[in-house]
Amino acid sequence: MTAIRIGVQLQPQHATYAQIRDAVMRSEEAGVDIVFNWDHFFPLSGEPDGLHYECWTMLGAWAEQTERVDIGALVTCNSYRNPELLADMARTVDHISNGRLILGIGAGWFERDYDEYGYEFGTAGSRIADLGEALPRIKARWAKLNPAPVRDIPILIGGSGPRKTLRLVAEHADVWHAFGDAASLREKSAILTGHAADVGRDDSQVERSIGVQEEPTDVAEGLVDAGATLFTISTGGPEFDLELVQRWVAWRDEENDRRAQQG
């Protein structure tokens, strides 16, 4: 039985880097399994031109700062970097962290990032097609790099588009990240199972991950029944309040103990 894991997404906005660094330390001390940031160039909420920091530079710092937690972006925008470059960046952070990087990736959606940084926004369809073209190139580059990644870097794909995105999840992902309630997760998970069968893959190889902002007593049981084993709580600056995260960590420990007793 797959163990339950807890992630925290530290939104890199409206805070100094010293405050973000402190939040990373507190998150690891709180017992989370994964610390995520996100890959944008401007805040997604609050003051649109507020404090904000770049994703992958930050992940390199987190790799040195932390000792135990996995780290990654939730999620990297495929549009912002050449796939071969992104593969090399991920391999490098993987080495700095001694094998703790997760490559979270998605097709991209925040138009302001594209417009102000000079990327072609295209359409949702073209961005998903670009992601589908990039994923094999990333894997191929990992196979060529010297030194190779410390481990087979897990790929997390975010998004729930039933026809295209979930097909890419079935083909390439180790983790699928979604949002929504238990009913939505169950519905989309069944579609993923169908895609996995079509590509000849056991869909149990794809961990189900979901973003949560509710209390574990309210939603955890239903989401577990729907297949989720990775739960990620988002928190923003400048405070980076971890009280809800701590309650999810306590629930995780109880749930994993129960599973261990069941064998």
Side-chain angles (χ1 to χ4, degrees):
M1 187 176 291
T2 303
I4 299 293
R5 298 193 294 166
I6 300 299
V8 60
Q9 184 190 50
L10 301 177
Q11 302 168 354
Q13 61 177 7
H14 308 309
T16 66
Y17 186 72
Q19 289 168 320
I20 295 173
R21 189 180 191 281
D22 174 70
V24 176
M25 296 175 66
R26 290 190 289 116
S27 297
E28 186 164 56
E29 291 168 359
V32 303
D33 299 288
I34 309 169
V35 182
F36 294 108
N37 60 7
W38 67 32
D39 188 21
H40 295 287
F41 305 129
F42 301 95
L44 297 186
S45 61
E47 167 54 48
D49 292 312
L51 298 176
H52 199 276
Y53 297 92
E54 193 276 326
C55 169
W56 277 90
T57 312
M58 186 181 301
L59 289 177
W62 288 8
E64 285 281 9
Q65 175 187 343
T66 57
E67 296 181 356
R68 177 188 56 80
V69 292
D70 282 354
I71 58 174
L74 191 64
V75 289
T76 301
C77 178
N78 175 65
S79 307
Y80 301 159
R81 301 163 191 87
N82 169 282
E84 284 75 20
L85 171 61
L86 179 59
D88 204 344
M89 292 165 60
R91 182 280 309 253
T92 300
V93 175
D94 185 57
H95 273 267
I96 296 170
S97 66
N98 194 28
R100 294 183 287 116
L101 178 77
I102 295 172
L103 178 59
I105 193 166
W109 63 273
F110 189 41
E111 190 168 3
R112 184 184 181 191
D113 283 349
Y114 287 79
D115 291 345
E116 295 214 26
Y117 276 66
Y119 299 104
E120 181 180 352
F121 189 57
T123 65
S126 69
R127 294 192 300 275
I128 293 172
D130 288 345
L131 176 61
E133 191 266 341
L135 287 163
R137 289 171 59 183
I138 290 168
K139 293 178 178 179
R141 181 56 50 180
W142 281 339
K144 296 177 181 179
L145 289 169
N146 183 19
V150 175
R151 64 173 176 174
D152 290 335
I153 297 174
I155 294 175
L156 177 154
I157 295 178
S160 298
R163 188 166 64 89
K164 296 179 180 180
T165 301
L166 290 180
R167 179 75 174 202
L168 293 179
V169 172
E171 292 174 344
H172 298 287
D174 302 285
V175 184
W176 165 51
H177 184 77
F179 294 92
D181 59 14
S184 174
L185 177 63
R186 192 182 303 276
E187 175 189 0
K188 296 297 178 64
S189 186
I191 295 170
L192 173 56
T193 298
H195 284 305
D198 290 343
V199 301
R201 190 174 181 205
D202 181 352
D203 82 309
S204 67
Q205 297 174 341
V206 183
E207 183 176 14
R208 270 62 167 176
S209 166
I210 193 157
V212 291
Q213 292 300 131
E214 303 86 356
E215 294 290 338
T217 51
D218 294 337
V219 299
E221 182 177 357
L223 291 171
V224 169
D225 288 344
T229 56
L230 172 56
F231 301 83
T232 297
I233 303 93
S234 293
T235 183
E239 296 87 1
F240 295 107
D241 184 350
L242 298 181
E243 289 188 6
L244 180 60
V245 173
Q246 291 168 340
R247 290 193 289 276
W248 274 94
V249 168
W251 168 81
R252 175 205 64 193
D253 293 343
E254 293 176 0
E255 178 67 13
N256 284 338
D257 286 345
R258 184 186 67 80
R259 290 175 175 226
Q261 291 171 7
Q262 290 180 341

